[in-house]
């Protein structure tokens, strides 16, 4: 039966909520662990940091406690448990209480560790868990049930409240705390715990970034365990996961297997609430979904979030905990945070930031360092504000147990509220899902169409696979589509928005042209429009008739490669912009390949510039690769009639600092996905010299906070910090090794890079690293400057004009103006006498912003976006953009690959002719392709303006 809250029952609910702390003391017959009480009291640094929810722990003869398994209680100083130990503890709980604990294996990490989800509840709920899963799936898709059936299902179902720990590896407390919390849920006999067990299924991801947990634990024991100076603490480990640090919480396209596995788990189980546990600001921040907010999500969400956060803040403050606050920190604009999968799918993301020491060492923390500026998120965290009624202390001795007390008390309080209103959780979940379906049919846009027959179907596949991974339904048009005055060919893909996840489809595909206030900062990127990021033509449809277009559900998008017989000149593999063309070249490593510098015709078919010419003798190798990679090969004439040149495979080195590996990690990830051979090098290899004998191309990707960081990296202070293989620390020395990660390549390394280029090598820099050549004298005719203090551009997508379309960097690109993601506040400049080396530039101005926003857009007017400059016998190619940004801007990847593969053909009259002035214009005036004022098709139009 569905519970109806009468006036009397509401009073009872209120009393229950108000008396949660005292409720813990209402089980006098249960024996408590006196050693636990004494230990945690000792480890808690101030009495007000303890609460009645966590100052005790029951003894059990059937359920193993953390101390029984590990020999100590949770929160013991100087101890971090490994991922295997943590997962192993949960497996022991499941073995001891199989009727109350279920473990779900969801997959493996990059390095082969187990990813698990643990579900805990009363025996009756665990017995009905599969039925709850089926019921939640029905509530998630209201098209399958009537409102009356929904009411019945809600009354028969318990919501899943999912808690995620260990996403960020240096945030070490959550995986420890959840072990104690799980034990408490299984053993404590109090009204609160009984209510939670009766009305909720509590799910845990004990360690989401399992690889990083073990690597950081090794680093902590090796370098940090004795460090107590929070103002001069040594650097963190160079890596958490295999590729990325914090960006595993910005992985909008789910590149990481752990993120993909969580997404698949979500779509199978549909937990209405996902609660991420993080560590950073003092003492506990609870997420309220502050502005800027994505207005395309259901308004119900923005009522739910402060309902929980305000309750937690009031309850924890009532218990005497200082420094509990909400608002002012993380907004609800970007959809890319991993746990945001809940909000994106009509559930709710919740999040804590609890104060932590990045380890288990107790230390004096200087909370107020005097460095808090007016733009600090949340303001001065030691000052009272309306959302922080009891601020944190300016200095505090902080321990792991403090961290556990705060976090566990917060989660128990959240579970208290959720278990008091389980039906409301499910009602909201169902209502948001139903509203999502209705919204797609109520107001334009009604759908997005991906037209068939696009020049590069591999980019279409990237988009489709990403959407389907998130549960978005896509149909394939059964015939030609005719809408008003527009038509689309049969086979076009239709994403109708009157589906449960239609709002998510709209969020990912629309142009972000509705940012509410340019003076308002956002926690992550302001734009992510998939069509613009991938250079895929995706059309927004305002004609409601699109909802009636007959389609067949698309199971999986398949790109079939095509290859015919060889011609007199072998094969021509068409360059239509796919990154797979570059992969093909690398995989044909023993084949002599030439590239066409200009377009030509073969058998009546247009062969674009950049197409690869493959000898007929390689046909046996070529055919399966063409089919696998979705490319097209045609018979090549003996003489194509256009200039061609050899394309030898370059020997590539990818440079990384030790202190900032994340952005380099995204390049590594892309290179690994596209089977690109490269060496990962660090300061040690650069300083050793003789680089030209080893490499043809060296890439300095965007990294660090400034060009200076690329050169000098971690300061040479404190003790040495080795990162190398060790029996005691087995995760060290992976993905590079160093006897001491402090210090960068320095001026000594810059000199070796100069020698490399002078001897004929190609140096490629991206983003902030592109400030290095001009800023440190590697090139004479380029300089790097900065923007004003008022400039603000959190990752918008902007226009860039191609000035040298014949350059090999633009093989596969047909547009003279293309979308690129704004990457860096380092602005390049070249004198007029060197304008011929500018391949691409930013037109600047507000009208050049295609998605997101850029405050101070006039500052980038006519600034170089790509510079290709000769130096000695070599060249330096500087991207002010970042052509590989996360696993998102696929449309820009080819520019970096083109530079690498055409390393021997980046100069010459055909490719770097001096820039000619406009006819009738003054000499020296740079020609303009697009001044930003032309219509973009982004506002008030059906067309998103993406290239075809």
């Amino acid at each position: 039966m569905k519970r109806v809250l009468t006036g009397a029952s509401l009073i009872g609910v209120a009393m229950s909520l108000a008396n949660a702390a005292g409720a813990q003391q209402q089980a006098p017959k249960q024996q408590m662990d006196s050693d636990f009480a004494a230990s945690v009291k000792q480890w808690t640094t101030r009495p007000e940091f303890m609460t009645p929810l966590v100052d005790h722990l029951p003894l059990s003869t059937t359920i193993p406690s953390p101390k029984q398994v590990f020999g100590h209680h949770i929160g013991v100083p100087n101890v971090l448990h490994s991922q295997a130990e943590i997962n192993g503890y949960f497996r022991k709980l499941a073995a001891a209480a199989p009727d109350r604990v279920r473990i779900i294996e969801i997959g493996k990490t990059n390095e082969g560790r187990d990813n698990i989800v643990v579900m805990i509840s009363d025996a009756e709920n665990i017995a009905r868990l599969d039925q709850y899963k089926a019921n939640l799936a029905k509530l998630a898709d209201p098209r399958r049930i009537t409102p009356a059936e929904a009411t019945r299902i809600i009354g028969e179902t318990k919501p899943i409240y999912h808690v995620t720990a260990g996403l960020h590896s240096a945030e070490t407390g959550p995986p420890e705390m959840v072990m104690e919390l799980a034990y408490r849920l299984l053993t404590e006999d109090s009204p609160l715990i009984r209510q939670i067990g009766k009305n909720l299924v509590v799910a845990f991801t004990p360690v989401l970034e399992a690889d990083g947990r073990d690597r950081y634990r090794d680093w902590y024991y090796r370098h940090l365990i004795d460090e107590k100076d929070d103002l001069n603490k040594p650097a963190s480990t160079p890596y958490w996961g295999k590729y990325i640090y914090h960006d595993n919480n910005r992985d909008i396209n789910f590149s990481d297997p752990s993120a993909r596995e969580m997404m698949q788990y979500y779509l199978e189980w549909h937990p209405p609430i996902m609660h991420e546990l993080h560590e950073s600001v003092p003492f506990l921040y609870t997420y309220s979904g502050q502005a800027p907010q994505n207005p395309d999500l259901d308004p119900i969400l923005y009522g739910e979030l402060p309902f929980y956060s305000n309750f937690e803040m009031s309850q924890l403050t009532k218990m005497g905990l200082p420094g509990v606050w909400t608002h002012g920190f993380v907004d609800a604009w970007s959809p890319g945070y991993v746990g945001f999968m809940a909000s994106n799918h009509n559930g709710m993301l919740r999040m804590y930031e609890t104060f932590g020491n990045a380890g288990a060492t107790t230390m004096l923390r200087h909370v107020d360092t005097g460095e808090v500026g007016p733009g600090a998120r949340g303001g001065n965290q030691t000052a009272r504000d309306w959302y922080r009624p009891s601020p944190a202390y300016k200095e505090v001795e902080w321990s792991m147990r403090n961290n556990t007390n705060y976090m566990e008390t917060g989660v128990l309080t959240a579970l208290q509220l959720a278990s008091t209103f389980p039906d409301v959780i499910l009602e909201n979940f169902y209502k948001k899902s139903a509203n999502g379906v209705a919204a797609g049919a109520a107001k334009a846009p009604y759908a997005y169409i991906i037209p068939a027959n696009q020049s590069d179907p591999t980019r279409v596949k990237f988009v489709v696979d990403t959407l389907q991974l998130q549960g978005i339904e896509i149909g394939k048009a059964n015939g030609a589509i005719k809408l008003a005055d527009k038509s689309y060919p049969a086979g076009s893909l239709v994403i109708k928005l009157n589906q449960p996840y239609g709002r998510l489809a709209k969020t990912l595909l629309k142009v972000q042209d509705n940012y509410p206030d340019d003076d308002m900062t956002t926690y992550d990127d302001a734009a992510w429009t998939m069509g613009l990021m991938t250079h895929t033509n995706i059309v927004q449809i305002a004609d409601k008739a699109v909802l009636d277009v007959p389609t067949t559900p698309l199971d999986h998008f398949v790109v079939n490669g095509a290859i015919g017989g060889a011609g007199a000149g072998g094969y021509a593999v068409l360059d239509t912009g796919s990154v797979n063309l570059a992969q093909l070249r690398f995989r044909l490593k023993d084949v002599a390949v030439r590239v066409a510098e200009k377009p030509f015709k073969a058998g009546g078919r247009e062969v674009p510039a950049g197409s690869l010419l493959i000898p007929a003798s390689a046909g046996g190798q070529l055919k399966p690769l063409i089919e696998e990679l979705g490319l097209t090969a045609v018979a090549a004439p003996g003489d194509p009639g256009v200039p061609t040149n050899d394309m030898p495979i370059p020997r590539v080195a990818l440079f990384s600092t030790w202190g900032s590996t994340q952005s380099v990690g995204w390049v590594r990830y892309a290179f690994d996905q596209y089977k690109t051979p490269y060496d990962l090098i660090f300061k040690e290899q650069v300083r050793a010299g003789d680089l030209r004998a080893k490499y043809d191309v060296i890439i300095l990707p965007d990294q660090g906070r400034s060009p200076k960081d690329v050169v000098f990296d971690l300061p040479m202070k404190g003790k040495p910090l080795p990162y190398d293989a060790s029996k005691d620390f087995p995760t060290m020395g992976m993905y590079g090794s160093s006897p001491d990660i402090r210090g960068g390549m320095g001026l000594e390394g810059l000199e070796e890079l100069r020698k490399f280029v002078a001897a004929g090598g190609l140096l490629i820099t991206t983003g902030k690293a592109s400030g290095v050549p001009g800023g440190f004298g590697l090139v004479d005719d380029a300089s790097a400057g900065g923007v004003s203090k008022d400039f603000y551009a959190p990752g918008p997508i902007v226009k860039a004009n191609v000035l040298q379309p014949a350059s090999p960097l633009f093989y596969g690109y047909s547009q003279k103006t293309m979308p690129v993601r704004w990457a860096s506040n380092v602005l390049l400049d070249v004198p007029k006498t060197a304008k011929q080396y500018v391949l691409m530039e930013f037109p600047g101005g507000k009208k050049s912003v295609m998605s997101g926003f850029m405050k101070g857009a006039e500052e980038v007017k006519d600034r170089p976006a790509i510079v290709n400059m000769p130096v000695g016998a070599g060249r330096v190619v500087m991207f002010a953009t970042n052509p590989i940004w996360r696993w998102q801007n696929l449309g820009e990847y080819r520019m970096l690959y083109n530079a690498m593969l055409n390393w021997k053909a980046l100069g010459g009259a055909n490719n770097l002719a001096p820039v000619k002035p406009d006819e009738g214009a003054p000499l020296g005036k740079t020609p303009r392709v697009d001044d930003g004022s032309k219509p973009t098709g982004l506002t008030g139009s059906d067309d998103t303006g993406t290239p075809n």
Side-chain angles (χ1 to χ4, degrees):
M1 292 288 290
K2 181 179 183 298
R3 183 173 61 188
V4 178
L5 293 179
T6 64
S9 60
L10 281 171
I11 294 173
V13 166
M15 293 178 64
S16 172
L17 290 174
N19 295 311
Q24 303 308 305
Q25 311 305 322
Q26 296 177 21
K29 294 181 180 180
Q30 189 169 23
Q31 186 178 0
M32 295 295 166
D33 187 337
S34 59
D35 181 70
F36 174 89
S39 296
V40 300
K41 182 177 181 180
Q42 176 186 350
W43 301 335
T44 300
T45 62
R46 294 185 64 87
E48 64 266 31
F49 296 161
M50 180 59 75
T51 76
L53 298 186
V54 297
D55 63 358
H56 61 280
L57 199 68
L59 289 171
S60 173
T61 59
T62 58
I63 307 297
S65 70
K67 183 172 184 178
Q68 288 173 315
V69 174
F70 302 123
H72 46 253
H73 302 291
I74 297 301
V76 60
N78 302 333
V79 173
L80 293 178
H81 296 97
S82 69
Q83 183 262 358
E85 290 174 330
I86 296 167
N87 278 9
Y89 179 72
F90 279 95
R91 294 188 191 279
K92 289 181 184 295
L93 294 181
D99 60 332
R100 300 181 59 198
V101 182
R102 181 187 292 189
I103 292 182
I104 303 167
E105 310 283 346
I106 67 171
K108 299 283 188 180
T109 68
N110 270 311
E111 295 174 7
R113 294 174 176 86
D114 291 340
N115 274 330
I116 65 172
V117 169
V118 184
M119 294 190 174
I120 296 177
S121 190
D122 283 358
E124 180 181 354
N125 290 332
I126 294 298
R128 301 185 64 195
L129 201 52
D130 290 335
Q131 184 59 53
Y132 293 165
K133 178 172 74 168
N135 288 351
L136 287 167
K138 292 176 183 177
L139 296 177
D141 188 352
R143 298 170 300 181
R144 299 166 54 191
I145 56 177
T146 65
E149 289 173 323
T151 299
R152 175 184 56 78
I153 290 170
I154 289 169
E156 298 173 352
T157 307
K158 305 301 182 184
I160 298 173
Y161 192 111
H162 188 105
V163 178
T164 295
L167 179 60
H168 290 153
S169 303
E171 299 167 13
T172 55
E176 304 287 337
M177 184 279 290
V178 294
M179 291 190 284
E180 180 175 298
L181 175 59
Y183 176 79
R184 188 181 301 278
L185 292 175
L186 291 171
T187 60
E188 184 168 303
D189 183 22
S190 67
L192 173 58
I193 300 302
R194 288 198 299 270
Q195 175 177 294
I196 293 170
K198 178 182 177 181
N199 291 334
L200 298 176
V201 175
V202 182
F204 295 97
T205 302
V207 188
L208 184 53
E209 175 50 277
D211 300 337
R213 172 69 180 193
D214 286 354
R215 193 156 15 256
Y216 188 85
R217 177 176 179 264
D218 280 353
W219 185 265
Y220 170 75
Y221 281 138
R222 190 173 189 180
H223 296 305
L224 303 179
I225 192 168
D226 296 322
E227 295 293 334
K228 296 187 177 182
D229 183 351
D230 69 326
L231 300 182
N232 291 285
K233 198 173 181 181
S236 181
T237 176
Y239 299 99
W240 291 350
K242 181 176 182 179
Y243 295 107
I244 51 179
Y245 261 68
H246 274 87
D247 268 8
N248 65 4
N249 200 33
R250 317 286 195 275
D251 192 8
I252 192 170
N253 289 337
F254 297 90
S255 67
D256 186 79
S258 296
R260 289 197 300 274
E261 289 154 9
M262 280 299 296
M263 185 74 259
Q264 291 159 1
Y265 154 79
Y266 188 92
L267 293 176
E268 181 180 356
W269 287 89
H270 302 95
I273 299 176
M274 294 191 75
H275 191 156
E276 283 189 359
L277 301 178
H278 292 279
E279 289 180 4
S280 63
V281 293
F283 291 137
L284 187 146
Y285 158 82
T286 172
Y287 175 64
S288 65
Q290 70 174 65
Q293 297 174 336
N294 177 2
D296 292 314
L297 295 178
D298 197 294
I300 294 172
L301 173 69
Y302 299 120
E304 292 176 303
L305 288 169
F307 175 59
Y308 277 84
S309 62
N310 285 328
F311 178 72
E312 291 159 345
M313 180 174 66
S314 65
Q315 288 292 96
L316 270 61
T317 300
K318 180 179 70 177
M319 295 179 204
L321 294 179
V324 180
W325 57 294
T326 184
H327 191 72
F329 195 61
V330 181
D331 56 69
W333 179 255
S334 170
Y337 312 114
V338 170
F340 216 80
M341 67 176 68
S343 296
N344 286 340
H345 292 84
N346 304 314
M348 172 172 45
L349 164 70
R350 307 213 55 246
M351 179 173 56
Y352 287 167
E353 297 282 355
T354 310
F355 205 40
N357 291 345
T361 305
T362 301
M363 64 176 68
L364 177 66
R365 297 295 305 277
H366 299 83
V367 178
D368 185 359
T369 62
E371 298 177 354
V372 177
R377 301 194 67 83
N380 184 347
Q381 289 151 9
T382 65
R384 189 190 180 282
D385 214 317
W386 64 266
Y387 50 84
R388 188 169 38 235
S390 176
Y393 304 152
K394 294 181 181 294
E395 290 184 352
V396 63
E397 185 181 21
W398 195 255
S399 67
M400 173 66 85
R401 188 62 217 187
N402 294 352
N403 174 279
T404 297
N405 293 342
Y406 268 76
M407 200 183 321
E408 189 173 356
T409 300
V411 174
L412 284 168
T413 303
L415 295 176
Q416 177 194 358
L417 185 62
S419 62
T420 304
F421 298 107
D423 291 356
V424 173
I425 292 171
L426 295 175
E427 288 166 355
N428 288 356
F429 181 58
Y430 167 73
K431 184 63 175 176
K432 286 182 287 186
S433 300
N435 289 350
V437 175
K443 183 179 179 182
Y446 299 101
Y448 289 84
I449 288 178
I450 305 177
N453 305 324
Q454 298 201 30
S455 59
D456 177 18
T458 67
R459 278 177 281 164
V460 174
K461 178 175 174 57
F462 181 95
V463 171
V464 169
D465 287 352
T466 302
L467 296 177
Q468 289 188 316
L469 174 65
Q470 300 182 62
I472 294 169
E473 299 170 0
I474 302 176
K476 188 174 184 178
N478 296 340
I481 303 172
K482 295 184 178 180
L483 298 171
D485 59 345
K486 291 191 176 182
S487 62
Y488 305 92
S492 294
L493 303 180
V494 184
I495 305 156
K496 299 178 182 180
L497 299 189
N498 60 339
Q499 58 171 296
Y501 306 144
R503 280 175 159 153
L504 173 58
K506 181 182 178 184
T507 294
L508 295 175
L509 298 176
K510 69 172 287 186
V511 170
Q512 282 73 58
D513 59 356
N514 58 339
Y515 195 81
D517 184 351
D518 285 7
D519 291 326
M520 186 181 295
T521 61
T522 182
Y523 202 73
D524 198 56
D525 280 357
W528 50 84
T529 309
M530 289 190 73
L532 296 175
M533 291 287 249
T534 62
H535 292 196
T536 304
N537 186 25
I538 303 175
V539 185
Q540 183 172 288
I541 304 298
D543 186 345
K544 193 172 184 178
V546 71
L547 298 179
D548 297 321
V549 170
T551 62
T552 300
L554 181 68
D555 179 59
H556 188 64
F557 190 80
V558 177
V559 179
N560 295 310
I563 182 170
Y571 302 90
V573 184
L574 307 185
D575 187 354
T576 56
S578 174
V579 183
N580 282 349
L581 189 77
Q583 182 181 170
L584 176 70
R585 177 63 195 106
F586 284 116
R587 293 176 70 176
L588 292 173
K589 59 182 180 179
D590 298 321
V591 177
V593 174
R594 295 184 67 79
V595 61
E597 296 181 11
K598 294 183 178 180
F600 65 91
K601 290 189 178 295
R605 184 159 189 169
E606 182 80 11
V607 178
S611 297
L612 304 186
L613 304 177
I614 313 293
S617 58
Q621 294 175 253
L622 183 64
K623 185 177 187 299
L625 289 174
I626 290 292
E627 293 171 348
E628 173 192 344
L629 299 176
L631 301 172
T632 299
V634 300
D639 179 7
V642 298
T644 65
N645 60 68
D646 291 330
M647 182 183 274
I649 291 179
R651 300 168 299 166
V652 176
L654 187 64
F655 172 80
S656 177
T657 56
W658 283 111
S660 183
T661 63
Q662 178 163 274
S663 292
V664 182
W666 284 112
V667 182
R668 291 172 49 228
Y669 180 82
F671 280 9
D672 288 352
Q673 297 307 301
Y674 290 108
K675 296 180 172 59
T676 305
Y678 66 97
D679 286 346
L680 183 62
I681 63 172
F682 299 85
K683 61 186 175 74
E684 293 83 0
Q685 290 76 30
V686 174
R687 286 176 177 174
D690 201 22
L691 296 171
R692 185 66 187 92
K694 304 169 187 174
Y695 304 112
D696 305 305
V697 177
I698 296 177
I699 305 171
L700 269 61
D702 179 83
Q703 53 198 294
R705 295 164 297 177
S706 69
K708 181 181 175 182
D709 288 343
V710 180
V711 177
F712 297 110
D713 198 18
L714 300 172
M716 288 293 294
K717 65 179 183 179
K719 62 188 179 185
L721 297 173
Y723 177 77
D724 49 20
S726 166
K727 178 182 177 182
D728 295 330
F729 308 109
T731 66
M732 300 289 97
M734 298 181 72
Y735 322 118
S737 178
S738 174
D740 185 0
I741 66 171
R742 298 173 306 158
M745 73 169 82
L747 299 180
E748 175 186 354
L750 284 174
E751 175 59 18
E752 296 302 330
L753 289 178
R754 187 198 63 77
K755 292 177 184 177
F756 165 78
V757 175
L762 171 64
L763 178 67
I764 302 174
T765 62
T766 72
K768 292 183 290 295
S770 287
V772 170
F776 290 89
L778 295 182
V779 295
D780 294 328
D781 288 330
S783 60
V787 296
S788 74
K789 63 181 179 62
D790 295 325
F791 183 87
Y792 182 57
I797 303 169
V798 301
K799 292 180 180 179
N801 293 332
V802 177
L803 302 185
Q804 298 280 358
S807 169
L809 262 75
F810 303 118
Y811 288 156
Y813 294 90
S814 59
Q815 302 291 317
K816 297 296 178 64
T817 297
M818 69 174 72
V820 298
R821 179 189 177 275
W822 180 258
S824 168
N825 290 346
V826 173
L827 301 181
L828 301 180
D829 197 13
V830 299
K832 289 183 178 180
T833 55
K835 284 290 186 182
Q836 68 267 30
Y837 302 128
V838 179
L839 306 185
M840 176 188 279
E841 72 177 9
F842 300 112
K846 272 193 171 292
K847 292 183 179 179
S848 73
V849 179
M850 303 181 77
S851 189
F853 74 97
M854 177 181 280
K855 184 178 180 180
E858 291 300 323
E859 295 186 36
V860 307
K861 186 177 178 65
D862 299 336
R863 289 287 192 162
I866 305 176
V867 178
N868 174 13
M869 192 157 285
V871 177
R875 309 193 78 83
V876 177
V877 173
M878 293 163 277
F879 287 84
T881 61
N882 186 355
I884 296 182
W885 164 250
R886 297 177 176 167
W887 187 234
Q888 287 183 239
N889 60 337
L890 179 68
E892 299 178 56
Y893 283 17
R894 266 295 300 275
M895 286 184 275
L896 180 62
Y897 272 102
N898 284 343
M900 292 163 53
L901 286 171
N902 294 280
W903 63 280
K904 293 190 72 174
L906 294 183
N910 288 331
N911 298 321
L912 280 179
V915 176
K916 296 179 180 180
D918 294 336
E919 186 175 351
L923 292 177
K925 175 179 170 56
T926 303
R928 301 295 302 279
V929 180
D930 186 342
D931 65 2
S933 64
K934 295 181 180 179
T936 64
L938 302 184
T939 304
S941 167
D942 291 344
D943 196 326
T944 60
T946 50
N948 192 348

